Amino acid sequence: MDQHIHCIVNDCHYWKNGNKCAANEILVATDSFGADNPEEIDAQMATQLTPQSAGNCMTTCCKTFVPKDSKYAGIDDVKKTQ
Ligand code: SF4
């Protein structure tokens, strides 16, 4: 399946023109999971993580987000595709 992730968060390392995500994979999580876990915990570990309920879109986040020019870009082994 040809999948596209659209994203309007333009201060992310993986964001690109056209409001697209250029990460080869992402992890969407609850806000609390994002707050409680370090940058290294991300998409590559997804199959080992315990699913959680969020309730609504206000309590989910993109765990793969990392600010542009951050020293943490790539620490989670997520790659830019283009
Ligand atoms: S990693 Fe997440 S926040 Fe960053 S561009 Fe992709 S979807 Fe958006």
Side-chain angles (χ1 to χ4, degrees):
M1 184 173 70
D2 191 17
Q3 189 177 54
H4 301 277
I5 299 168
H6 303 277
C7 180
I8 61 170
V9 183
N10 70 354
D11 61 341
C12 177
H13 171 71
Y14 298 103
W15 181 89
K16 68 177 187 178
N17 286 335
N19 289 330
K20 293 177 179 171
C21 174
N24 67 332
E25 55 186 340
I26 67 168
L27 176 65
V28 176
T30 60
D31 283 353
S32 59
F33 183 91
D36 293 345
N37 287 278
E39 296 288 344
E40 292 88 340
I41 307 296
D42 211 298
Q44 298 246 331
M45 300 178 140
T47 59
Q48 304 164 49
L49 302 174
T50 303
Q52 299 178 321
S53 297
N56 61 66
C57 68
M58 301 297 287
T59 57
T60 69
C61 69
C62 177
K63 180 72 174 66
T64 308
F65 170 87
V66 64
K68 278 190 168 110
D69 305 321
S70 167
K71 65 180 180 180
Y72 296 111
I75 199 171
D76 49 15
D77 284 335
V78 174
K79 309 275 190 297
K80 265 191 187 177
T81 57
Q82 297 146 34

